[in-house]
C-alpha cells in the first residue's frame, strides 16, 4: 500500500518552511520541526513537545516522517554496519557505516541500480531501476544516525561525521533529488556536516559537475579507472559521452569552488587491465602540466577490485597495487590504497548489490558484449 501523505523527509529546510506556510503556520515553526526530525530522530508528532497541539494534530492528518523499511542489518567484526532497505517493487538499496578512530562515515545510495553500467561494478551489472527520492536518500542517513546513537548510547552525540555518496547509483544522474538531500546534510538545523565532510562520487557526468559547482560545491571524488579514452570507454561507458579531456577540464573548473583544493580520483585496480606501470605513468602525464587540462591538483585512491563472478575480472595483487602506488607517489601525487572493510558482510565498494529489478536488461547486454573490449595491457 502506498502512503499518500507528504513525507517530511523529502524536504530541505526551505521546502519545509514553505510547507508550514501552506498549512497556515509561521515559517520558523519549520526549524523546530526540522530539528525534531533530523537531530532528534523523531517519527511521531506527539513527541514534539514544543509544538502547539493544534499544529501536531494538523501535521498528523497530512504528513508523515517515513523511513525506509529495513530488510536486514549486518554488523562486521570490524564494526562496519550494512543495512539493506526496501524501496518497493522488489528493489532494495544498501548503506554502509564505516567507523574509524577519528570519524564515522556513512556510504549512501542514490539510485536503485545504475544506468552507467561500469564493467567492474555489480550495481552496474544489475541495470537501472529508478532514482531514489530525496526522502529515500535521507532516510538512509536518518535511520543510520539514530539507530547508531541508540545502539552506542551516545546521549544524543552525533555518530556520523562524514557522508560519501558512494553506494549504489550515480548521484549526478539523480541531481534533482540529490541536491535537497545534500542541503539537509549540511544544514546546521539538520546534520550540520561541513562541505568538506560530504563527498559526491561520480563516474563523470560533466554537465552536472558544473551545476554542482554552482549550486552546492561539496567535496568531489571522480571515478577515473583508466588513463586514456581507449581503455576508459569500455570500463566506464559514460566516457564515450564525456571523454577524459572534458572530464579533467570539469575537475579543474570544480576546484575553483570546491571545499578542498584537490580532486580525489578513484581507481579500481583490475588485474592485467589497468594496473600496469605504463598506466601509472600515463596517469601522471594525464594530470600533469602537459595533460589535456593542464595540471589537475589531485589525490589518488586505489581501490582493490572486489570481484563478483559475472564480471570476469580479477583483483590486482597487493604487490601490483603497491608498485602502481609507488610510481604515482614518486611522481608527486598523494596516493592511498583503500582498506577493505566489512569483508565478512560483503560491505565493500561495488558489492553493494542490493537487489533491483533490472528495467534495462543490463546484465544480458553485458554478457552479449564482446569480452575483448577490455584490452590486456600486460603481456600474458
Ligand atoms: N556512481 C558513482 C558512485 C558509486 S560507486 C561512481 O561511480 O563514482 C563508488 C565507487 O566504487 C566508485 O569509485 C566505483 O568505481 C567503485 N567500484 C564499483 N564497483 C567496484 C568493485 N567491484 N570493486 C571496487 N570498487 C568498485
Ligand atoms: Fe554506476 Fe558508479 Fe557502478 Fe559505474 S561504478 S555502474 S557509475 S554505481
Amino acid at each position: 500500500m502506498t502512503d499518500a501523505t507528504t513525507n517530511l523527509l523529502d524536504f530541505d529546510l526551505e521546502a519545509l518552511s514553505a510547507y508550514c506556510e501552506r498549512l497556515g503556520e509561521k515559517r520558523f515553526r519549520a526549524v523546530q520541526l526540522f530539528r525534531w526530525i533530523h537531530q532528534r530522530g523523531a517519527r511521531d508528532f506527539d513527541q514534539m513537545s514544543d509544538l502547539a497541539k493544534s499544529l501536531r494534530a494538523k501535521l498528523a492528518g497530512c504528513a508523515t516522517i517515513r523511513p525506509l523499511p529495513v530488510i536486514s542489518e549486518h554488523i562486521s567484526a570490524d564494526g562496519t554496519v550494512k543495512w539493506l532497505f526496501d524501496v518497493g517493487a522488489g528493489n532494495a538499496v544498501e548503506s554502509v557505516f564505516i567507523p574509524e578512530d577519528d570519524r564515522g562515515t556513512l556510504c549512501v545510495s542514490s539510485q536503485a541500480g545504475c544506468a552507467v553500467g561500469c564493467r567492474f561494478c555489480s550495481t552496474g551489472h544489475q541495470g537501472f531501476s529508478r532514482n531514489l527520492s530525496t526522502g529515500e536518500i535521507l532516510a538512509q542517513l536518518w535511520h543510520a544516525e539514530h539507530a547508531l546513537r541508540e545502539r552506542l548510547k551516545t546521549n544524543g552525540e552525533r555518530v556520523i561525521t562524514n557522508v560519501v555518496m558512494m553506494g549504489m547509483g550515480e548521484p549526478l544522474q539523480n541531481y534533482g533529488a540529490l541536491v535537497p538531500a545534500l542541503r539537509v546534510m549540511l544544514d546546521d538545523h539538520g546534520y550540520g556536516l561541513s562541505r568538506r565532510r560530504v563527498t559526491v562520487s561520480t563516474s563523470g557526468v560533466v554537465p552536472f559537475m558544473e551545476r554542482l559547482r554552482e549550486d552546492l560545491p561539496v567535496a568531489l571524488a571522480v571515478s577515473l579507472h583508466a588513463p586514456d579514452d581507449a581503455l576508459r570507454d569500455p570500463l566506464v561507458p559514460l566516457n564515450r559521452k564525456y571523454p577524459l579531456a572534458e572530464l579533467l577540464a570539469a575537475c579543474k573548473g570544480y576546484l575553483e569552488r570546491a571545499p578542498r583544493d584537490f580532486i580525489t580520483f578513484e581507481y579500481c585496480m583490475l588485474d592485467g587491465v589497468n594496473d600496469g606501470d605504463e598506466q601509472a605513468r600515463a596517469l601522471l602525464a594525464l594530470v600533469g602540466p602537459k595533460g589535456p587540462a593542464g595540471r589537475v591538483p589531485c589525490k589518488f585512491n586505489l581501490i582493490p577490485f572486489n570481484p563478483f563472478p559475472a564480471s570476469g575480472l580479477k583483483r590486482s595483487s597487493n604487490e601490483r597495487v603497491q608498485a602502481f602506488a609507488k610510481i604515482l607517489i614518486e611522481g608527486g601525487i598523494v596516493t592511498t590504497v583503500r582498506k577493505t572493510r566489512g569483508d565478512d558482510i560483503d560491505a565493500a565498494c561495488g558489492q553493494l548489490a542490493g537487489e533491483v529489478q533490472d528495467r534495462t536488461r543490463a546484465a544480458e547486454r553485458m554478457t552479449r558484449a564482446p569480452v575483448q573490449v577490455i584490452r590486456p595491457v600486460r603481456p600474458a
Side-chain angles (χ1 to χ4, degrees):
M1 201 183 72
T2 53
D3 187 339
T5 54
T6 302
N7 182 8
L8 299 186
L9 291 178
D10 272 320
F11 294 150
D12 61 16
L13 185 53
E14 182 55 38
L16 190 63
S17 306
Y19 183 73
C20 284
E21 247 182 349
R22 286 201 297 279
L23 293 180
E25 296 289 331
K26 295 265 185 305
R27 282 174 74 90
F28 73 84
R29 289 281 170 229
V31 173
Q32 285 170 293
L33 186 52
F34 197 74
R35 292 173 68 103
W36 272 108
I37 299 170
H38 295 290
Q39 298 194 338
R40 318 257 316 246
R43 260 202 80 177
D44 189 345
F45 297 115
D46 271 343
Q47 272 175 276
M48 304 182 181
S49 47
D50 57 355
L51 294 183
K53 277 217 170 100
S54 56
L55 171 56
R56 285 189 254 161
K58 213 187 289 180
L59 285 167
C62 61
T64 43
I65 296 150
R66 201 154 56 242
L68 288 173
V70 178
I71 299 171
S72 63
E73 181 192 72
H74 291 98
I75 306 179
S76 159
D78 66 15
T80 303
V81 186
K82 178 173 86 167
W83 293 272
L84 184 64
F85 294 102
D86 185 356
V87 294
N91 294 322
V93 298
E94 287 176 326
S95 316
V96 178
F97 173 69
I98 305 147
E100 287 171 283
D101 291 345
D102 57 342
R103 73 184 93 171
T105 304
L106 188 72
C107 179
V108 171
S109 295
S110 57
Q111 299 179 313
C114 181
V116 178
C118 297
R119 196 86 202 181
F120 49 83
C121 173
S122 81
T123 305
H125 274 249
Q126 294 180 61
F128 177 66
S129 188
R130 69 170 176 86
N131 279 329
L132 299 187
S133 64
T134 298
E136 289 169 328
I137 296 172
L138 283 171
Q140 299 169 61
L141 174 58
W142 182 89
H143 177 83
E145 174 66 37
H146 298 292
L148 289 167
R149 275 190 206 180
E150 189 126 309
R151 171 159 328 128
L152 304 172
K153 307 237 174 312
T154 67
N155 253 331
E157 277 291 302
R158 194 203 282 173
V159 182
I160 294 166
T161 61
N162 295 59
V163 171
V164 292
M165 297 302 304
M166 292 186 187
M168 298 168 71
E170 169 48 59
L172 295 186
Q173 286 189 338
N174 185 14
Y175 193 77
L178 174 73
V179 167
L182 295 177
R183 281 205 193 96
V184 176
M185 295 173 195
L186 302 186
D187 201 307
D188 283 341
H189 299 296
Y191 296 86
L193 303 177
S194 72
R195 288 193 291 130
R196 309 160 62 87
R197 288 179 176 273
V198 175
T199 301
V200 167
S201 175
T202 181
S203 55
V205 194
V206 166
F208 285 99
M209 288 166 67
E210 285 160 2
R211 282 189 60 182
L212 189 66
R213 170 197 128 118
E214 297 309 314
D215 294 339
L216 203 68
V218 294
L220 189 69
V222 172
S223 296
L224 204 57
H225 310 308
D228 58 63
D229 289 325
L231 184 55
R232 197 166 189 266
D233 279 351
L235 291 177
V236 184
L238 194 67
N239 194 67
R240 298 195 195 107
K241 201 161 179 192
Y242 307 113
L244 279 171
E246 276 179 48
L247 177 58
L248 290 175
C251 290
K252 202 141 180 194
Y254 195 87
L255 282 172
E256 290 163 20
R257 302 279 309 272
R260 295 180 184 269
D261 53 8
F262 58 88
I263 298 280
T264 302
F265 286 124
E266 292 158 280
Y267 197 96
C268 179
M269 298 293 289
L270 303 164
D271 180 47
V273 174
N274 65 353
D275 65 348
D277 287 354
E278 62 276 39
Q279 270 88 35
R281 285 192 288 269
L283 283 176
L284 289 174
L286 184 74
V287 300
K290 294 203 177 111
R295 196 176 83 83
V296 182
C298 61
K299 287 188 181 173
F300 268 83
N301 191 6
L302 306 180
I303 317 175
F305 170 59
N306 289 301
F308 57 99
S311 72
L313 297 163
K314 289 202 298 260
R315 176 188 287 197
S316 307
S317 69
N318 287 344
E319 298 73 48
R320 188 76 308 266
V321 176
Q322 290 309 325
F324 196 91
K326 188 162 178 272
I327 294 175
L328 294 178
I329 292 166
E330 285 175 359
I333 305 233
V334 174
T335 304
T336 50
V337 177
R338 183 167 304 170
K339 278 186 282 192
T340 42
R341 296 286 306 262
D343 263 353
D344 51 336
I345 56 167
D346 280 352
C349 269
Q351 288 185 340
L352 302 187
E355 232 168 74
V356 302
Q357 303 282 319
D358 182 5
R359 313 244 185 259
T360 54
R361 315 196 65 109
E364 199 183 306
R365 225 173 34 236
M366 287 201 200
T367 3
R368 274 198 263 113
V371 197
Q372 294 88 321
V373 289
I374 296 176
R375 302 185 305 179
V377 290
R378 283 201 317 253

